[in-house]
Amino acid sequence: MMKNNEHNSSQNLSQNSAENTLTDTSKEAYTYFFPITTRWMDNDIFGHVNNVNYYSYFDTVVNQFLIENAGFEPTKSEEIGFIVSSQCQYLHSIAYPDKLIGAFRVNKIGNSSVEYGVAIFKKNSDSAAATGQLTHVFVNRQTEKPTPINSSMRTAMQHAMLDA
């Protein structure tokens, strides 16, 4: 975890964190798993899931974790998360009607931000079809100004860290 006094090296840490996240292709590198159903409309003209859908899968996995484990209520919570950074590494294609597993972990937690590691697996595969990294900054719903992550959400996130 990065500390405030390590500001000068934050760019390198962030880059290294993303690189590590993007190369974690085994299920052992993640802490929570959620089923994802592909849809006919996810496929593009080339016969595989279009790249834009992977980001939708990632967002679904993150928010499902927050709803089920951190008490997040998307339409009611005072704090909401804005994605401020995202990356995806495509490793091999998937297509409808594949059954998928979305994998999730927390890489690091700041005062108002959190970095997630995510991956998409075919249901019976141990090797990821795609890996990703997303950063949420939590803001007040009304003002859209950054706000500290609340204690129940922080606790859930800490439990989702790989070394927790």
Side-chain angles (χ1 to χ4, degrees):
M1 249 169 99
M2 186 176 63
K3 297 180 181 167
N4 289 338
N5 62 356
E6 295 174 273
H7 177 70
N8 292 338
S9 61
S10 65
Q11 186 175 14
N12 291 338
L13 287 174
S14 179
Q15 183 178 10
N16 289 340
S17 177
E19 289 171 2
N20 292 340
T21 297
L22 297 175
T23 60
D24 286 337
T25 61
S26 72
K27 287 182 179 172
E28 291 79 29
Y30 301 90
T31 56
Y32 287 90
F33 302 88
F34 302 98
I36 298 172
T37 302
T38 55
R39 304 164 304 169
W40 174 260
M41 66 182 277
D42 292 348
N43 281 6
D44 61 20
I45 196 166
F46 304 113
H48 62 257
V49 169
N50 187 273
N51 60 345
V52 71
N53 291 304
Y54 288 81
Y55 283 94
S56 177
Y57 299 156
F58 290 167
D59 202 32
T60 297
V61 170
V62 167
N63 283 292
Q64 195 68 36
F65 170 82
L66 295 175
I67 291 165
E68 291 182 7
N69 297 282
F72 179 61
E73 296 182 58
T75 61
K76 297 178 183 176
S77 293
E78 287 185 33
E79 297 89 20
I80 56 175
F82 286 174
I83 296 289
V84 297
S85 175
S86 63
Q87 293 183 319
C88 182
Q89 180 72 44
Y90 304 98
L91 303 166
H92 53 82
S93 66
I94 55 178
Y96 175 84
D98 289 339
K99 303 287 187 219
L100 307 176
I101 301 294
F104 172 89
R105 72 166 184 243
V106 171
N107 293 335
K108 60 184 174 180
I109 306 170
N111 183 47
S112 62
S113 66
V114 58
E115 180 186 276
Y116 309 110
V118 290
I120 303 299
F121 294 85
K122 286 186 179 179
K123 185 176 181 180
N124 296 317
S125 177
D126 290 325
S127 182
T131 58
Q133 175 271 316
L134 306 168
T135 301
H136 255 161
V137 171
F138 284 88
V139 301
N140 176 280
R141 180 185 296 276
Q142 301 304 317
T143 66
E144 296 187 355
K145 301 287 184 202
T147 188
I149 298 169
N150 70 53
S151 62
S152 61
M153 191 170 288
R154 181 175 296 279
T155 299
M157 290 174 179
Q158 288 168 335
H159 285 111
M161 295 182 87
L162 200 54
D163 53 359

